[in-house]
Amino acid sequence: KVSGWSEPLVLEVSPGEGEVRWRFGLPDPEDPEDSADFSLHIFSIGPEGQVYIPAGDVPALVCRNSQGARRWEFFSPDDDEFGIGATIADDGTIYTGTEGGTLFALTSAGRTKWSVTFRSGIFALPALGPDGTIYIQTENDTFFALNPQNGARKWRFYAGGGEQSPAVGPDGTVFVAHDDTIYALDPADGGVKWHYGMRQAIVAPPAIDVTRQVIYVVDEDGWLAALNLGDGSERWVIRVGNEVSAGVIGNDGTIYLTSTGSLVAVNPEWGNIDWQYIPPMSGDASTPAVSDEGVIYFMVIGLFDQGVVDSLYAVNSDGSRRWAAGLDIGIPGDFISAPKIDQAGYVYIGNGTRAWCIVGKGGPARSSWPMFGGDIRNSGWAR
């Protein structure tokens, strides 16, 4: 229970790798006995190191500086909770949607620039094109391209709705998933360039490897497909396992994802599994993130009714365990807060009633997709 603002944990000595740098909680302003939950949300980091994370149970977007000190909170005017995260533009504008269907454009000071409302909720991250165009996937409606100046609609594409974040290729091509199909759309007008059907429904946002000109897509039966960016032709497809997360890409192109609580490394050339790390604690696992030092981070949420403390795991590029950090007791869900890595090597993640900053090793991997959302700003643009 929290009775007032929970400020960052202050350490008398500099923490070492795998240790907590800071953490904070957010009491409910209307009922200070209750606190926000961060288990189902993801950080984003602005151009000046500002840290943004939406809160669960409390309809707020929280902003802290890189040391974890409070800057501001933006509360949804309609008391609608925010989606899984915020997307940060190059100029610092913050784009975040609510479960009620409103997309807000905020300044870096937390003030509203403009907002637009759709007919259904926004659960996925917005993505940004090379020209700043905002791409939004709503829950049960249409996929939209929006003008970043005022939110005006440029074009729309009926993809049937969904909760998967779009991705943008290096040339601006927009990739959006609906049911079992991934569509490649022309950024000029939303016309279909190509489409590819998976065996079952697509369950995670795609990941793009610019070096290999490949996009990776996973479905609910655990199939991972590597498709050519230009025409959607299939390079290879492999079944990884059950309960598969979104994929991320390491320095050498290795694809990392989780399956049934374990971390899996997939060879990008042939699609074979190089290794699998099974943590000692069973539970639901997050999408991983990989650093330029070859360290892969992922979180496992244990059995909620048994009060098991969740853990952030760090695994070496050969599949050996590096360390584990016990966090809090979180809430399993369709999305689990995925680690974010900043240029200084700090790892950010939300879990339970705390948001955390853990000391890691190395900045983001030197690839086009080292973490969920593509980069630390959640831009969804592979470059």
Side-chain angles (χ1 to χ4, degrees), residues 12-296:
E12 295 182 357
V13 296
S14 298
E17 186 183 348
E19 296 180 344
V20 176
R21 182 181 181 226
W22 52 255
R23 65 188 180 210
F24 70 83
L26 177 66
D28 187 335
E30 297 181 357
D31 186 359
E33 291 298 311
D34 292 330
S35 297
D37 187 273
F38 296 101
S39 302
L40 310 179
H41 296 85
I42 186 172
F43 287 84
S44 52
I45 303 170
E48 297 179 0
Q50 312 95 317
V51 181
Y52 305 100
I53 184 170
D57 299 330
V58 176
L61 176 69
V62 178
C63 177
R64 300 278 168 144
N65 67 19
S66 58
Q67 286 75 44
R70 175 176 177 254
R71 294 193 64 187
W72 49 259
E73 290 80 35
F74 176 80
F75 290 91
S76 170
D78 298 323
D79 289 333
D80 290 326
E81 288 192 22
F82 291 96
I84 63 171
T87 296
I88 316 300
D90 289 345
D91 66 358
T93 301
I94 306 156
Y95 300 108
T96 185
T98 71
E99 296 179 5
T102 299
L103 175 71
F104 290 95
L106 306 176
T107 68
S108 58
R111 299 184 178 92
T112 302
K113 297 174 70 172
W114 52 258
S115 64
V116 293
T117 300
F118 301 91
R119 291 183 294 176
S120 58
I122 301 171
F123 292 87
L125 290 170
L128 303 177
D131 62 353
T133 298
I134 308 155
Y135 298 105
I136 287 288
Q137 173 69 76
T138 55
E139 181 185 17
N140 294 316
D141 201 350
T142 308
F143 181 82
F144 295 96
L146 307 179
N147 187 314
Q149 300 304 315
N150 53 17
R153 297 172 186 178
K154 290 185 172 183
W155 50 259
R156 65 185 69 189
F157 173 75
Y158 183 73
E163 299 182 13
Q164 306 309 328
S165 306
V168 180
D171 65 350
T173 298
V174 186
F175 300 94
V176 57
H178 165 55
D179 196 15
D180 62 352
T181 303
I182 182 83
Y183 294 91
L185 305 181
D186 190 320
D189 57 8
V192 177
K193 289 184 171 183
W194 56 259
H195 62 89
Y196 176 90
M198 298 290 288
R199 290 166 169 79
Q200 297 293 334
I202 295 168
V203 293
I208 297 173
D209 186 333
V210 171
T211 300
R212 288 175 171 76
Q213 288 291 291
V214 170
I215 185 168
Y216 299 107
V217 187
V218 295
D219 72 12
E220 65 182 4
D221 274 356
W223 290 92
L224 171 66
L227 312 174
N228 288 305
L229 279 180
D231 59 8
S233 57
E234 182 183 293
R235 290 199 183 183
W236 50 256
V237 61
I238 182 177
R239 188 170 189 274
V240 178
N242 298 316
E243 301 173 15
V244 178
S245 74
V248 299
I249 300 168
N251 292 336
D252 61 356
T254 299
I255 309 111
Y256 299 101
L257 65 170
T258 62
S259 171
T260 320
S262 63
L263 178 66
V264 180
V266 178
N267 186 291
E269 297 302 326
W270 309 108
N272 55 292
I273 295 176
D274 284 340
W275 52 258
Q276 184 172 9
Y277 171 76
I278 302 174
M281 184 181 78
S282 61
D284 296 332
S286 72
T287 297
V290 56
S291 81
D292 61 1
E293 294 285 344
V295 182
I296 308 101

